[in-house]
Amino acid sequence: MMQPLFDLRGRVVLLTGATGGLGVAIAQAMAAHGATLLLSDHNAADCEALASLLRAHGHHADTLPCDLSQQDDVRQLAASALQHHGQIDVLVCNAGIQGPAGPLDAVSPQQWNTVMDINLRSAATLSALLMPAMAECGGGSVILMSSIAGLRGNKAIGLYGLSKAALAQLARNLAVEWGPRNVRVNAIAPGLIRTPLAASLLADQTFMTRRMAQTPLRRPGEPHEIAGVAVMLASAAGAFITGQTLVVDGGTTISDGN
C-alpha cells in the first residue's frame, strides 16, 4: 500500500550538482524509485561516469553538463532538458559552492557574484524556465538545496549562508506563485553530512566534538538521508507539502548543546 507513495516511474528528473556527494546519493535514490534522470554538473566526464553506473544497474540516465555560473549555459540547459524527453517533472537544484571563508566585508565583488550565480541565480533561472512546462503537464516538484547555514548566523561562511537563506525564501515565493498550477516548491536544509565537501570539518576533532555535543543524534548525517527526503518531496508522498524548508540536521538547530 505504501510503495506507490514514493513511486517515480514515468517522471523525468533534472538534477544539478549530480556528481557531488549529495548529488550521487539523490541520483541513486531517484533512480531506485523509477525516475528517468538527466544529470548535470560542470564536469562532463564525471556526469557520464555516473550515468554509466546507473545504466549498468538498469536505470535510465542521460547527461547534460553545464557551467551554472554562466546564465547563457543555464538557459541552454533548461531548453536541452525539455527537448530530451519532452517533459521535466522534477527539478532538483543541488549544485552549489561554499565560496570564500571569512567576514562578509572581505568578500570581493567577483566572489559575491560567483557564489550567488551558482547557488541562487541558476536555481531561480532554471525554475522560471521549467515550471511553466511542469504546469502544462499537470504539475511538478522543484527541490532547492538550502542549508542550516542559511538559518542562523555564521562568521566563517557568511556569503554561503546568505545564498542558502535566499534559496529558502525562493522556495516560499515560488510556492505561492505556482501552487495554483500544481507546481510544488520546497527546500532541504541539511546539517553536517558526510560528503567530500565536509571532509575538512569531519577531520577536525575539535570542531566535531563541539558539533556532536550540539547534535542530539550525536553523529553526522549520511547522504542517503538527504536523498530520502528529496524522493519524498518529488513523489506522491510529498504531494501536500509546498513552500517548506525541511531541516535534516540530526537536531543541531533545535539543541541547547546539552
Side-chain angles (χ1 to χ4, degrees), residues 57-127:
H57 286 82
H59 304 306
H60 301 285
D62 290 294
T63 65
L64 292 172
C66 180
D67 179 354
L68 294 180
S69 69
Q70 303 300 314
Q71 278 291 294
D72 286 345
D73 292 2
V74 174
R75 286 187 284 269
Q76 183 57 52
L77 172 61
S80 298
L82 286 173
Q83 291 169 3
H84 215 82
H85 292 288
Q87 67 186 77
I88 293 294
D89 303 290
V90 180
L91 168 64
V92 185
C93 294
N94 173 64
I97 60 171
Q98 177 181 294
L104 284 170
D105 61 7
V107 175
S108 71
Q110 182 57 52
Q111 290 171 324
W112 183 285
N113 290 339
T114 299
V115 170
M116 289 299 178
D117 281 347
I118 294 174
N119 292 7
L120 176 62
R121 192 176 179 189
S122 68
T125 300
L126 285 173
S127 298

Side-chain angles (χ1 to χ4, degrees), residues 171-231:
R172 290 186 284 268
N173 288 349
L174 294 179
V176 171
E177 293 179 14
W178 288 89
R181 300 190 67 185
N182 198 34
V183 178
R184 299 179 294 107
V185 188
N186 293 285
I188 301 173
L192 180 63
I193 308 297
R194 198 184 306 277
T195 66
L197 184 65
S200 62
L201 295 177
L202 293 165
D204 185 334
Q205 289 304 309
T206 300
F207 169 83
M208 289 300 293
T209 298
R210 182 175 69 251
R211 174 58 67 88
M212 293 304 97
Q214 297 169 345
T215 301
L217 291 185
R218 297 296 192 265
R219 64 173 178 86
E222 302 295 337
H224 71 267
E225 293 171 320
I226 303 301
V229 177
V231 169

Side-chain angles (χ1 to χ4, degrees), residues 126-146:
L126 285 173
S127 298
L129 293 173
L130 294 175
M131 287 189 299
M134 290 182 183
E136 289 297 320
C137 290
S141 175
V142 176
I143 302 167
L144 309 177
M145 197 59 67
S146 184

